Amino acid sequence: MATSINILIVDDHPFIIEAYKNAIKGYNSKGIYEFSITQAKDCKTGYEAITEATEPFGIAFFDLSMPTYEEKGIFSGEDLAQLIKQQMPDCKIILLTMHTELLKINTIIKNINPNGLVIKNDLTFDELLLAFDKILKDENYYSQTVVRLVSQIQYDNIEIDAFDKQILFQLSKGVKTKDIPQYVPLSLSAVEKRKLHLKDLLEIKGGSDIDLIREAKNKGLL
């Protein structure tokens, strides 16, 4: 009897979703598994797929950079991964990203500890099949670029939390510091202290908000 597995795919690029689906179909050529696939195109539909699911997902693929769902505080595939870990702790998570910054990769591994992490430039049909096979066998899979980056990580002392991410996100949209408490549940003084701390972490001395956002993007925090 085939093993039934519910799979969630969240990506804002339809051709990537089709690549996942084709790889899954190709893997299942012997009919060992019975896969049921749910797909979503952004943070909002991904959130709805997770929170409205009647059966837990066994495997979830998330693109990291997607249109946000601010109303629920979901700004990326990383946030969706955190959500599904809370609601479906047995779900195996595979993250895909264009980011190749050391800090970003380190943050993902520390915060999410995904079962799979693939740089999109590494992505081929065979790579996806290999990742999928390892995940089903309860092994972790990091693509070759991730493995190389992990060996070079040198930002172990730099970490930001959800509030820091929200502050950076609002600043990147052009929201003034004095108005950020309207969007983030912090006082103005707390926001200002966090901004100063972020500038210290990113080694921005006396820089503007534009400098802060630029460096945050360079380090893969946005």
Side-chain angles (χ1 to χ4, degrees), residues 110-146:
K110 282 189 172 183
N111 292 346
I112 307 297
N113 189 25
N115 302 88
L117 181 56
V118 179
I119 304 298
K120 284 192 173 182
N121 286 341
D122 293 339
L123 192 61
T124 64
F125 186 79
D126 289 340
E127 183 93 6
L128 194 52
L129 279 178
L130 179 58
F132 196 63
D133 180 64
K134 284 186 173 291
I135 298 305
L136 286 173
K137 293 177 178 176
D138 293 322
E139 300 176 29
N140 288 347
Y141 181 77
Y142 291 170
S143 68
Q144 57 184 356
T145 300
V146 177

mmCIF file of all heavy atoms in Angstrom, residues 110-146:
data_model
loop_
_atom_site.group_PDB
_atom_site.id
_atom_site.type_symbol
_atom_site.label_atom_id
_atom_site.label_comp_id
_atom_site.label_asym_id
_atom_site.label_seq_id
_atom_site.Cartn_x
_atom_site.Cartn_y
_atom_site.Cartn_z
ATOM 1 N N LYS A 110 20.187 28.769 11.855
ATOM 2 C CA LYS A 110 19.996 28.906 13.303
ATOM 3 C C LYS A 110 18.528 29.023 13.678
ATOM 4 O O LYS A 110 18.065 28.417 14.649
ATOM 5 C CB LYS A 110 20.754 30.141 13.811
ATOM 6 C CG LYS A 110 22.246 29.933 13.960
ATOM 7 C CD LYS A 110 22.879 31.112 14.668
ATOM 8 C CE LYS A 110 24.337 30.841 14.993
ATOM 9 N NZ LYS A 110 24.956 31.951 15.749
ATOM 10 N N ASN A 111 17.765 29.811 12.906
ATOM 11 C CA ASN A 111 16.374 30.087 13.261
ATOM 12 C C ASN A 111 15.411 28.986 12.834
ATOM 13 O O ASN A 111 14.434 28.706 13.524
ATOM 14 C CB ASN A 111 15.918 31.414 12.653
ATOM 15 C CG ASN A 111 16.622 32.607 13.276
ATOM 16 O OD1 ASN A 111 17.248 32.486 14.329
ATOM 17 N ND2 ASN A 111 16.513 33.757 12.639
ATOM 18 N N ILE A 112 15.654 28.392 11.685
ATOM 19 C CA ILE A 112 14.718 27.409 11.135
ATOM 20 C C ILE A 112 15.234 25.986 11.248
ATOM 21 O O ILE A 112 14.469 25.052 11.479
ATOM 22 C CB ILE A 112 14.419 27.713 9.645
ATOM 23 C CG1 ILE A 112 13.953 29.161 9.469
ATOM 24 C CG2 ILE A 112 13.374 26.737 9.093
ATOM 25 C CD1 ILE A 112 12.673 29.498 10.160
ATOM 26 N N ASN A 113 16.546 25.802 11.079
ATOM 27 C CA ASN A 113 17.138 24.465 11.030
ATOM 28 C C ASN A 113 16.365 23.591 10.044
ATOM 29 O O ASN A 113 15.836 22.521 10.400
ATOM 30 C CB ASN A 113 17.151 23.806 12.409
ATOM 31 C CG ASN A 113 17.959 22.523 12.436
ATOM 32 O OD1 ASN A 113 18.860 22.330 11.628
ATOM 33 N ND2 ASN A 113 17.623 21.627 13.341
ATOM 34 N N PRO A 114 16.287 24.011 8.771
ATOM 35 C CA PRO A 114 15.466 23.278 7.802
ATOM 36 C C PRO A 114 16.046 21.910 7.467
ATOM 37 O O PRO A 114 17.246 21.680 7.594
ATOM 38 C CB PRO A 114 15.494 24.200 6.566
ATOM 39 C CG PRO A 114 16.819 24.901 6.673
ATOM 40 C CD PRO A 114 17.022 25.135 8.154
ATOM 41 N N ASN A 115 15.186 21.019 7.032
ATOM 42 C CA ASN A 115 15.645 19.703 6.576
ATOM 43 C C ASN A 115 16.384 19.818 5.256
ATOM 44 O O ASN A 115 17.255 19.007 4.949
ATOM 45 C CB ASN A 115 14.450 18.765 6.427
ATOM 46 C CG ASN A 115 13.666 18.611 7.711
ATOM 47 O OD1 ASN A 115 12.766 19.390 7.976
ATOM 48 N ND2 ASN A 115 14.022 17.635 8.517
ATOM 49 N N GLY A 116 16.012 20.830 4.467
ATOM 50 C CA GLY A 116 16.676 21.072 3.199
ATOM 51 C C GLY A 116 16.858 22.556 2.965
ATOM 52 O O GLY A 116 15.985 23.358 3.304
ATOM 53 N N LEU A 117 18.012 22.934 2.419
ATOM 54 C CA LEU A 117 18.285 24.331 2.080
ATOM 55 C C LEU A 117 19.017 24.355 0.745
ATOM 56 O O LEU A 117 20.112 23.807 0.629
ATOM 57 C CB LEU A 117 19.119 25.004 3.170
ATOM 58 C CG LEU A 117 19.472 26.479 2.955
ATOM 59 C CD1 LEU A 117 18.236 27.340 2.744
ATOM 60 C CD2 LEU A 117 20.278 27.013 4.153
ATOM 61 N N VAL A 118 18.394 24.960 -0.253
ATOM 62 C CA VAL A 118 18.926 24.927 -1.610
ATOM 63 C C VAL A 118 19.040 26.340 -2.166
ATOM 64 O O VAL A 118 18.082 27.112 -2.104
ATOM 65 C CB VAL A 118 18.022 24.087 -2.541
ATOM 66 C CG1 VAL A 118 18.576 24.075 -3.959
ATOM 67 C CG2 VAL A 118 17.873 22.663 -2.010
ATOM 68 N N ILE A 119 20.208 26.688 -2.678
ATOM 69 C CA ILE A 119 20.391 27.941 -3.404
ATOM 70 C C ILE A 119 19.834 27.738 -4.809
ATOM 71 O O ILE A 119 20.154 26.757 -5.474
ATOM 72 C CB ILE A 119 21.877 28.339 -3.487
ATOM 73 C CG1 ILE A 119 22.483 28.419 -2.074
ATOM 74 C CG2 ILE A 119 22.040 29.670 -4.221
ATOM 75 C CD1 ILE A 119 21.867 29.439 -1.166
ATOM 76 N N LYS A 120 18.999 28.667 -5.262
ATOM 77 C CA LYS A 120 18.308 28.464 -6.538
ATOM 78 C C LYS A 120 19.266 28.310 -7.716
ATOM 79 O O LYS A 120 18.956 27.605 -8.681
ATOM 80 C CB LYS A 120 17.315 29.593 -6.793
ATOM 81 C CG LYS A 120 16.045 29.469 -5.948
ATOM 82 C CD LYS A 120 14.960 30.412 -6.418
ATOM 83 C CE LYS A 120 13.670 30.141 -5.673
ATOM 84 N NZ LYS A 120 12.562 30.998 -6.138
ATOM 85 N N ASN A 121 20.420 28.952 -7.632
ATOM 86 C CA ASN A 121 21.388 28.802 -8.724
ATOM 87 C C ASN A 121 21.943 27.378 -8.804
ATOM 88 O O ASN A 121 22.515 26.981 -9.822
ATOM 89 C CB ASN A 121 22.533 29.805 -8.576
ATOM 90 C CG ASN A 121 22.105 31.211 -8.940
ATOM 91 O OD1 ASN A 121 21.104 31.407 -9.625
ATOM 92 N ND2 ASN A 121 22.853 32.204 -8.485
ATOM 93 N N ASP A 122 21.816 26.622 -7.718
ATOM 94 C CA ASP A 122 22.245 25.216 -7.714
ATOM 95 C C ASP A 122 21.154 24.289 -8.249
ATOM 96 O O ASP A 122 21.400 23.102 -8.474
ATOM 97 C CB ASP A 122 22.573 24.754 -6.285
ATOM 98 C CG ASP A 122 23.791 25.440 -5.697
ATOM 99 O OD1 ASP A 122 24.612 25.951 -6.477
ATOM 100 O OD2 ASP A 122 23.919 25.463 -4.465
ATOM 101 N N LEU A 123 19.949 24.846 -8.403
ATOM 102 C CA LEU A 123 18.782 24.003 -8.640
ATOM 103 C C LEU A 123 18.745 23.411 -10.044
ATOM 104 O O LEU A 123 18.724 24.122 -11.041
ATOM 105 C CB LEU A 123 17.504 24.824 -8.398
ATOM 106 C CG LEU A 123 16.195 24.039 -8.313
ATOM 107 C CD1 LEU A 123 16.254 23.055 -7.151
ATOM 108 C CD2 LEU A 123 15.020 24.979 -8.148
ATOM 109 N N THR A 124 18.761 22.105 -10.107
ATOM 110 C CA THR A 124 18.532 21.358 -11.344
ATOM 111 C C THR A 124 17.518 20.271 -11.016
ATOM 112 O O THR A 124 17.194 20.023 -9.849
ATOM 113 C CB THR A 124 19.825 20.700 -11.862
ATOM 114 O OG1 THR A 124 20.262 19.721 -10.892
ATOM 115 C CG2 THR A 124 20.926 21.733 -12.082
ATOM 116 N N PHE A 125 17.021 19.620 -12.039
ATOM 117 C CA PHE A 125 16.057 18.538 -11.820
ATOM 118 C C PHE A 125 16.680 17.440 -10.964
ATOM 119 O O PHE A 125 16.068 16.951 -10.012
ATOM 120 C CB PHE A 125 15.597 17.978 -13.162
ATOM 121 C CG PHE A 125 14.505 16.953 -13.045
ATOM 122 C CD1 PHE A 125 13.189 17.346 -12.850
ATOM 123 C CD2 PHE A 125 14.788 15.593 -13.133
ATOM 124 C CE1 PHE A 125 12.169 16.401 -12.748
ATOM 125 C CE2 PHE A 125 13.780 14.652 -13.029
ATOM 126 C CZ PHE A 125 12.467 15.058 -12.838
ATOM 127 N N ASP A 126 17.913 17.075 -11.272
ATOM 128 C CA ASP A 126 18.600 16.019 -10.506
ATOM 129 C C ASP A 126 18.852 16.454 -9.069
ATOM 130 O O ASP A 126 18.745 15.637 -8.141
ATOM 131 C CB ASP A 126 19.926 15.653 -11.176
ATOM 132 C CG ASP A 126 19.724 14.890 -12.477
ATOM 133 O OD1 ASP A 126 18.631 14.324 -12.671
ATOM 134 O OD2 ASP A 126 20.654 14.868 -13.311
ATOM 135 N N GLU A 127 19.194 17.749 -8.894
ATOM 136 C CA GLU A 127 19.442 18.274 -7.544
ATOM 137 C C GLU A 127 18.164 18.194 -6.709
ATOM 138 O O GLU A 127 18.187 17.803 -5.537
ATOM 139 C CB GLU A 127 19.900 19.735 -7.640
ATOM 140 C CG GLU A 127 20.252 20.375 -6.317
ATOM 141 C CD GLU A 127 21.726 20.280 -5.977
ATOM 142 O OE1 GLU A 127 22.501 19.812 -6.818
ATOM 143 O OE2 GLU A 127 22.080 20.661 -4.849
ATOM 144 N N LEU A 128 17.051 18.544 -7.326
ATOM 145 C CA LEU A 128 15.776 18.512 -6.625
ATOM 146 C C LEU A 128 15.373 17.082 -6.279
ATOM 147 O O LEU A 128 14.882 16.806 -5.176
ATOM 148 C CB LEU A 128 14.701 19.174 -7.490
ATOM 149 C CG LEU A 128 13.381 19.532 -6.810
ATOM 150 C CD1 LEU A 128 13.619 20.341 -5.545
ATOM 151 C CD2 LEU A 128 12.496 20.314 -7.767
ATOM 152 N N LEU A 129 15.612 16.153 -7.200
ATOM 153 C CA LEU A 129 15.329 14.749 -6.927
ATOM 154 C C LEU A 129 16.171 14.228 -5.766
ATOM 155 O O LEU A 129 15.677 13.503 -4.896
ATOM 156 C CB LEU A 129 15.600 13.903 -8.172
ATOM 157 C CG LEU A 129 14.524 13.857 -9.250
ATOM 158 C CD1 LEU A 129 15.008 13.018 -10.424
ATOM 159 C CD2 LEU A 129 13.223 13.282 -8.703
ATOM 160 N N LEU A 130 17.446 14.603 -5.750
ATOM 161 C CA LEU A 130 18.346 14.160 -4.686
ATOM 162 C C LEU A 130 17.903 14.717 -3.341
ATOM 163 O O LEU A 130 17.872 13.991 -2.337
ATOM 164 C CB LEU A 130 19.781 14.606 -4.999
ATOM 165 C CG LEU A 130 20.850 14.231 -3.961
ATOM 166 C CD1 LEU A 130 20.912 12.725 -3.753
ATOM 167 C CD2 LEU A 130 22.214 14.764 -4.408
ATOM 168 N N ALA A 131 17.558 16.014 -3.326
ATOM 169 C CA ALA A 131 17.092 16.645 -2.082
ATOM 170 C C ALA A 131 15.832 15.945 -1.581
ATOM 171 O O ALA A 131 15.709 15.624 -0.390
ATOM 172 C CB ALA A 131 16.828 18.127 -2.317
ATOM 173 N N PHE A 132 14.895 15.705 -2.485
ATOM 174 C CA PHE A 132 13.629 15.082 -2.121
ATOM 175 C C PHE A 132 13.856 13.671 -1.575
ATOM 176 O O PHE A 132 13.259 13.272 -0.561
ATOM 177 C CB PHE A 132 12.723 15.052 -3.349
ATOM 178 C CG PHE A 132 11.278 14.803 -3.040
ATOM 179 C CD1 PHE A 132 10.558 15.701 -2.267
ATOM 180 C CD2 PHE A 132 10.635 13.673 -3.519
ATOM 181 C CE1 PHE A 132 9.219 15.474 -1.974
ATOM 182 C CE2 PHE A 132 9.307 13.438 -3.236
ATOM 183 C CZ PHE A 132 8.591 14.341 -2.460
ATOM 184 N N ASP A 133 14.747 12.931 -2.202
ATOM 185 C CA ASP A 133 15.051 11.568 -1.765
ATOM 186 C C ASP A 133 15.635 11.570 -0.356
ATOM 187 O O ASP A 133 15.227 10.774 0.494
ATOM 188 C CB ASP A 133 16.036 10.924 -2.747
ATOM 189 C CG ASP A 133 16.402 9.505 -2.347
ATOM 190 O OD1 ASP A 133 15.497 8.644 -2.333
ATOM 191 O OD2 ASP A 133 17.574 9.262 -2.024
ATOM 192 N N LYS A 134 16.581 12.470 -0.097
ATOM 193 C CA LYS A 134 17.206 12.518 1.225
ATOM 194 C C LYS A 134 16.197 12.916 2.310
ATOM 195 O O LYS A 134 16.206 12.372 3.415
ATOM 196 C CB LYS A 134 18.394 13.480 1.212
ATOM 197 C CG LYS A 134 19.629 12.919 0.525
ATOM 198 C CD LYS A 134 20.820 13.847 0.665
ATOM 199 C CE LYS A 134 22.084 13.193 0.118
ATOM 200 N NZ LYS A 134 22.534 12.078 0.957
ATOM 201 N N ILE A 135 15.333 13.878 1.975
ATOM 202 C CA ILE A 135 14.330 14.325 2.955
ATOM 203 C C ILE A 135 13.401 13.174 3.318
ATOM 204 O O ILE A 135 13.073 12.956 4.482
ATOM 205 C CB ILE A 135 13.520 15.512 2.385
ATOM 206 C CG1 ILE A 135 14.421 16.712 2.103
ATOM 207 C CG2 ILE A 135 12.409 15.901 3.351
ATOM 208 C CD1 ILE A 135 15.247 17.184 3.257
ATOM 209 N N LEU A 136 12.959 12.411 2.312
ATOM 210 C CA LEU A 136 12.068 11.279 2.570
ATOM 211 C C LEU A 136 12.751 10.192 3.398
ATOM 212 O O LEU A 136 12.088 9.417 4.097
ATOM 213 C CB LEU A 136 11.566 10.697 1.249
ATOM 214 C CG LEU A 136 10.503 11.508 0.508
ATOM 215 C CD1 LEU A 136 10.222 10.903 -0.852
ATOM 216 C CD2 LEU A 136 9.214 11.585 1.320
ATOM 217 N N LYS A 137 14.079 10.142 3.319
ATOM 218 C CA LYS A 137 14.839 9.149 4.088
ATOM 219 C C LYS A 137 15.296 9.707 5.439
ATOM 220 O O LYS A 137 16.177 9.151 6.093
ATOM 221 C CB LYS A 137 16.062 8.691 3.282
ATOM 222 C CG LYS A 137 15.686 7.890 2.037
ATOM 223 C CD LYS A 137 16.918 7.523 1.220
ATOM 224 C CE LYS A 137 16.529 6.679 0.006
ATOM 225 N NZ LYS A 137 17.697 6.395 -0.867
ATOM 226 N N ASP A 138 14.683 10.816 5.851
ATOM 227 C CA ASP A 138 14.984 11.458 7.148
ATOM 228 C C ASP A 138 16.419 11.955 7.241
ATOM 229 O O ASP A 138 17.019 11.979 8.325
ATOM 230 C CB ASP A 138 14.688 10.504 8.313
ATOM 231 C CG ASP A 138 13.201 10.205 8.438
ATOM 232 O OD1 ASP A 138 12.397 11.134 8.212
ATOM 233 O OD2 ASP A 138 12.846 9.061 8.747
ATOM 234 N N GLU A 139 16.974 12.348 6.104
ATOM 235 C CA GLU A 139 18.294 12.971 6.079
ATOM 236 C C GLU A 139 18.138 14.446 5.710
ATOM 237 O O GLU A 139 17.165 14.834 5.070
ATOM 238 C CB GLU A 139 19.193 12.285 5.040
ATOM 239 C CG GLU A 139 19.426 10.804 5.288
ATOM 240 C CD GLU A 139 20.239 10.164 4.176
ATOM 241 O OE1 GLU A 139 21.056 10.883 3.565
ATOM 242 O OE2 GLU A 139 20.049 8.972 3.908
ATOM 243 N N ASN A 140 19.094 15.265 6.114
ATOM 244 C CA ASN A 140 19.097 16.671 5.711
ATOM 245 C C ASN A 140 19.833 16.828 4.387
ATOM 246 O O ASN A 140 20.724 16.036 4.064
ATOM 247 C CB ASN A 140 19.756 17.540 6.772
ATOM 248 C CG ASN A 140 18.888 17.696 8.012
ATOM 249 O OD1 ASN A 140 17.702 17.367 7.998
ATOM 250 N ND2 ASN A 140 19.471 18.185 9.087
ATOM 251 N N TYR A 141 19.454 17.873 3.647
ATOM 252 C CA TYR A 141 20.134 18.124 2.381
ATOM 253 C C TYR A 141 20.412 19.614 2.203
ATOM 254 O O TYR A 141 19.486 20.432 2.217
ATOM 255 C CB TYR A 141 19.304 17.637 1.197
ATOM 256 C CG TYR A 141 20.021 17.879 -0.111
ATOM 257 C CD1 TYR A 141 21.064 17.054 -0.505
ATOM 258 C CD2 TYR A 141 19.701 18.966 -0.910
ATOM 259 C CE1 TYR A 141 21.764 17.285 -1.677
ATOM 260 C CE2 TYR A 141 20.386 19.212 -2.086
ATOM 261 C CZ TYR A 141 21.415 18.372 -2.469
ATOM 262 O OH TYR A 141 22.113 18.612 -3.617
ATOM 263 N N TYR A 142 21.701 19.956 2.067
ATOM 264 C CA TYR A 142 22.118 21.321 1.744
ATOM 265 C C TYR A 142 22.797 21.283 0.379
ATOM 266 O O TYR A 142 23.656 20.425 0.137
ATOM 267 C CB TYR A 142 23.102 21.866 2.776
ATOM 268 C CG TYR A 142 22.522 22.141 4.147
ATOM 269 C CD1 TYR A 142 23.351 22.439 5.229
ATOM 270 C CD2 TYR A 142 21.156 22.097 4.375
ATOM 271 C CE1 TYR A 142 22.831 22.696 6.483
ATOM 272 C CE2 TYR A 142 20.625 22.346 5.633
ATOM 273 C CZ TYR A 142 21.464 22.647 6.680
ATOM 274 O OH TYR A 142 20.949 22.902 7.916
ATOM 275 N N SER A 143 22.412 22.205 -0.511
ATOM 276 C CA SER A 143 23.037 22.219 -1.829
ATOM 277 C C SER A 143 24.500 22.637 -1.714
ATOM 278 O O SER A 143 24.950 23.139 -0.679
ATOM 279 C CB SER A 143 22.277 23.152 -2.774
ATOM 280 O OG SER A 143 22.414 24.504 -2.394
ATOM 281 N N GLN A 144 25.259 22.453 -2.780
ATOM 282 C CA GLN A 144 26.707 22.625 -2.726
ATOM 283 C C GLN A 144 27.120 24.036 -2.309
ATOM 284 O O GLN A 144 28.100 24.213 -1.568
ATOM 285 C CB GLN A 144 27.324 22.279 -4.081
ATOM 286 C CG GLN A 144 26.778 23.080 -5.254
ATOM 287 C CD GLN A 144 27.347 22.619 -6.585
ATOM 288 O OE1 GLN A 144 28.215 21.749 -6.629
ATOM 289 N NE2 GLN A 144 26.863 23.195 -7.663
ATOM 290 N N THR A 145 26.392 25.048 -2.760
ATOM 291 C CA THR A 145 26.738 26.418 -2.371
ATOM 292 C C THR A 145 26.523 26.631 -0.881
ATOM 293 O O THR A 145 27.315 27.301 -0.211
ATOM 294 C CB THR A 145 25.919 27.443 -3.169
ATOM 295 O OG1 THR A 145 26.195 27.282 -4.569
ATOM 296 C CG2 THR A 145 26.271 28.867 -2.769
ATOM 297 N N VAL A 146 25.452 26.059 -0.336
ATOM 298 C CA VAL A 146 25.193 26.172 1.101
ATOM 299 C C VAL A 146 26.313 25.513 1.891
ATOM 300 O O VAL A 146 26.817 26.071 2.876
ATOM 301 C CB VAL A 146 23.836 25.538 1.474
ATOM 302 C CG1 VAL A 146 23.621 25.591 2.991
ATOM 303 C CG2 VAL A 146 22.696 26.242 0.763
#
